[in-house]
Amino acid sequence: MTEFTPYASLAGGVLIGLSTVILLLANGRIAGISGIYSRLFETGPLANGKSAWVHGEKGWQLSFIVGIVLAPLLLMAGGFEIEQVFTGDLTLIAIAGALVGFGSVFGSGCTSGHGVCGLSRLSVRSLAATITFMSVGIAVVFVLRHVVGG
């Protein structure tokens, strides 16, 4: 059974909200992780035929993604215990990750883009996307825990 962690969850939510506001105010960009990640690997010239790397368009994206990866590692190095453990078939986890990636492309955004940034901007499309992924997530957890017995 998953342990309820209200203080850690609240702190994480506050940090996510704060980071989205900072990115919007500093760069005028939306903190949708799937969009940031996919645009990081896009190629093509910008104005005057110069690379996006030259104009610094990729630097903030790379910094954002590196920060997401390094943050839990730095917490662990600082003595904080991270108790999330994935136990299961690695192949199944990889398939689930690919399906999430497909869903974020198909839905034109991910949970952070729609659920955090889109809802705060009162986007109807983000509301529909958030209702959809939350409903499916709730249904999957219910089926796995109470029907299948996982």
Side-chain angles (χ1 to χ4, degrees):
M1 187 59 69
T2 305
E3 189 176 320
F4 181 57
T5 56
Y7 298 117
S9 300
L10 178 62
V14 168
L15 289 173
I16 289 170
L18 186 61
S19 68
T20 60
V21 170
I22 290 171
L23 184 62
L24 185 61
L25 292 176
N27 286 7
R29 305 292 184 152
I30 301 299
I33 307 305
S34 64
I36 292 170
Y37 183 79
S38 64
R39 281 189 298 276
L40 182 62
F41 296 104
E42 284 179 349
T43 58
L46 287 175
N48 301 325
K50 292 187 179 178
S51 164
W53 287 98
V54 172
H55 281 279
E57 284 294 313
K58 303 292 184 176
W60 73 268
Q61 295 166 339
L62 182 61
S63 297
F64 199 92
I65 298 299
V66 167
I68 288 173
V69 173
L70 286 182
L73 299 175
L74 291 173
L75 283 173
M76 288 188 302
F80 288 91
E81 290 184 31
I82 298 179
E83 298 184 22
Q84 289 294 326
V85 178
F86 292 103
T87 57
D89 183 11
L90 205 51
T91 303
L92 188 59
I93 292 172
I95 291 169
L99 288 173
V100 168
F102 173 77
S104 69
V105 171
F106 186 71
S108 298
C110 57
T111 55
S112 58
H114 284 303
V116 177
C117 301
L119 290 180
S120 64
R121 293 182 358 259
L122 304 177
S123 167
V124 175
R125 184 178 85 162
S126 290
L127 177 62
T130 304
I131 288 171
T132 302
F133 64 69
M134 290 300 292
S135 299
V136 170
I138 290 166
V140 167
V141 168
F142 178 82
V143 168
L144 289 178
R145 289 198 175 179
H146 301 290
V147 177
V148 175

